[in-house]
Amino acid sequence: MAVRAGAASAAALLALTACGGGDDAETEETAADSGGETVTVAINGEEPYSYLNEDGEQEGATIALAEEIFGEMGYTVEAELVPDWDSLIPGLGAERYDAVSAGMSITPERCAEASFAEPEIMYTTALLVEEGNPFGVEDLNDVAEAMESGEDITLATLSSGIEATYVDELGIDAEGVGSADDGMDMVTGGRADVFALTAISLNAMAGETDGVEVTEGFVHDMDGTLQYGAGSTVFPQGSEMLEEYNGHLAELKESGELLEIIGEYGFTEAEIPPAELTAEALCEGDLEALQDIED
């Protein structure tokens, strides 16, 4: 494991203190009582989940949540930027870090390789398109219909993102990219017409970027079944941290503090998973359970 003892970096300690949600002295005391143990958490650099800001400090909704929960467990958090999304889960298996904090979707395929905490964030998908949306696409089904009708339209997705799974199921072609920034560059550079990603990420990234716009968020409809998605922190299989982490997460959900933590980064009550939704159901691909909750 990548957990190690020693003095925590100043940046990590400051981040823990800022996001711990409690008395600064108590937070520092918790870190001191832990013997200065540091937990290494991989991030992908995707706003607003987890990224390094202009000062090189770790920031974002999921890393703030990790700092809160791991802080309660007696650790300080040190983020390790892993720009290649495809390397996140393999890195866990290779013990390069202790957890992944990147808003990663809980899917059966990923659950076969790693252990997911209970759902932390629900999200919708959106499309980054040229300003004016010349192809008039509002969701992935529209993109598929446009392609099938002969439109010369190029779609990009994260190569291992949940959107790539949707595209495969639709039987259409997409350009795979390694990071959200790469997808943005594909559209702004004219090499792709559409980039599919989580709505909150695209809205955060697009900002004041000229020449592009983001469609309304949507839940992908696959043959009449809505593909509700939820993400959480990922651990290596057999991790001894998972049960305790889930315990603290449950307390944050029940108290409403989860929304307070991630709400600072644009997430709303609509993105808070219901208590009935479990990682187990999502790992089993039991979308009917989620459908019942939403109905």
Side-chain angles (χ1 to χ4, degrees), residues 28-175:
E28 291 177 7
E29 183 178 351
T30 298
D33 290 345
S34 72
E37 283 188 298
T38 300
V39 63
T40 303
V41 175
I43 64 174
N44 185 239
E46 179 182 342
E47 297 184 35
Y49 296 98
S50 54
Y51 55 96
L52 300 181
N53 63 23
E54 292 179 355
D55 296 322
E57 298 172 342
Q58 57 203 45
E59 193 170 340
T62 64
I63 198 68
L65 181 59
E67 288 169 339
E68 173 68 27
I69 295 179
F70 282 118
E72 289 293 326
M73 293 169 62
Y75 299 100
T76 57
V77 173
E78 181 176 300
E80 179 176 328
L81 180 63
V82 180
D84 184 3
W85 181 269
D86 294 354
S87 298
L88 290 171
I89 287 182
L92 280 176
E95 299 185 347
R96 296 192 190 103
Y97 28 82
D98 304 295
V100 172
S101 177
M104 183 174 284
S105 301
I106 306 171
T107 67
E109 295 78 14
R110 290 171 178 162
C111 291
E113 301 181 41
S115 295
F116 283 77
E118 294 299 338
E120 298 169 345
I121 293 173
M122 294 182 69
Y123 50 82
T124 56
T125 301
L127 307 177
L128 180 74
V129 296
E130 181 184 338
E131 188 173 7
N133 196 357
F135 289 98
V137 291
E138 298 294 337
D139 57 36
L140 288 170
N141 288 313
D142 287 348
V143 175
E145 290 176 9
M147 288 182 173
E148 291 166 1
S149 68
E151 293 277 13
D152 184 15
I153 181 171
T154 301
L155 169 67
T157 69
L158 288 178
S159 58
S160 293
I162 190 64
E163 296 80 18
T165 301
Y166 300 155
V167 167
D168 287 343
E169 291 173 343
L170 286 169
I172 59 178
D173 294 326
E175 296 287 335

